[in-house]
Amino acid sequence: MARSSSGIVAGLTVAAIAGVSFLAYQASASVPDTLGKADKSATPKASASKTPGGTTNPNALPTASGTGERVVYATANDRVWLVAANNKVQRTFEVTPGTVDPVAGTYAVTTRANAVTGSDGVQIEHVVRFTTVDGIAIGFSAALNGSTTAPDPAKKLGGIRESRKDGDAMWNFATVGVKVVVVQ
């Protein structure tokens, strides 16, 4: 009897996830074009540290990114850092952002999914979500086909694409509850 109850619960769970995904996709299609876009007229904030010689190093961890274990995502230069509890960078890599950016701030990983279909229709893996912007889920993922091409600007997409290798590193590092710091 427990076995058939589990099957029913699993089936209902799959149906619920499919329904929510469909509704999220529909909602994303009606979002205004300007939502989530950075104000191009605003003065950009520095997102890279200065090296001793005074040159900007785009790979340097942003100084205003907090402390402790965290994922740091710089929207200005589309780069991620995985930072250990001792504040040492374990890995840094470039990403391809979606069309909707999260606002600067501190978040936490809320949900993860091993493999799903992205809102752009691409099969993705190692999905690590940390916020939503007007109903659009924002998170990191890797396309199973390895693609990191820029998304269709006409669509409202919150997926931040990384290579499969970087996606594996993110998946192993960013468990539910891990801090995500978004900086400009």
Side-chain angles (χ1 to χ4, degrees):
M1 183 146 241
R3 184 179 288 193
S4 47
S5 300
S6 297
I8 291 170
V9 171
L12 290 173
T13 301
V14 168
I17 290 171
V20 169
S21 296
F22 177 74
L23 292 173
Y25 174 76
Q26 280 189 323
S28 71
S30 65
V31 176
D33 288 340
T34 58
L35 188 62
K37 298 289 185 189
D39 182 3
K40 301 293 184 192
S41 65
T43 304
K45 295 179 183 172
S47 63
S49 299
K50 296 281 187 171
T51 60
T55 60
T56 300
N57 177 0
N59 296 331
L61 179 66
T63 54
S65 67
T67 60
E69 182 182 51
R70 64 201 183 277
V71 174
V72 177
Y73 172 42
T75 58
N77 64 348
D78 302 324
R79 179 164 286 280
V80 169
W81 294 262
L82 305 180
V83 185
N86 63 1
N87 291 312
K88 300 284 186 189
V89 174
Q90 292 184 335
R91 184 183 191 94
T92 184
F93 49 90
E94 291 182 343
V95 294
T96 303
T99 58
V100 178
D101 280 337
V103 296
T106 301
Y107 305 88
V109 174
T110 54
T111 63
R112 296 171 15 123
N114 192 38
V116 296
T117 301
S119 54
D120 59 355
V122 174
Q123 293 296 312
I124 56 177
E125 67 179 352
H126 297 155
V127 181
V128 175
R129 297 178 201 93
F130 60 92
T131 192
T132 59
V133 174
D134 290 329
I136 299 169
I138 308 293
F140 304 100
S141 65
L144 289 176
N145 67 8
S147 169
T148 57
T149 58
D152 179 352
K155 295 181 179 180
K156 301 301 173 202
L157 305 169
I160 304 161
R161 290 287 161 80
E162 50 205 1
S163 72
R164 291 188 77 188
K165 185 176 177 181
D166 294 331
D168 288 344
M170 176 70 76
W171 182 255
N172 291 325
F173 183 87
T175 57
V176 171
V178 166
K179 187 169 33 173
V180 177
V181 179
V182 177
V183 297
Q184 295 291 319

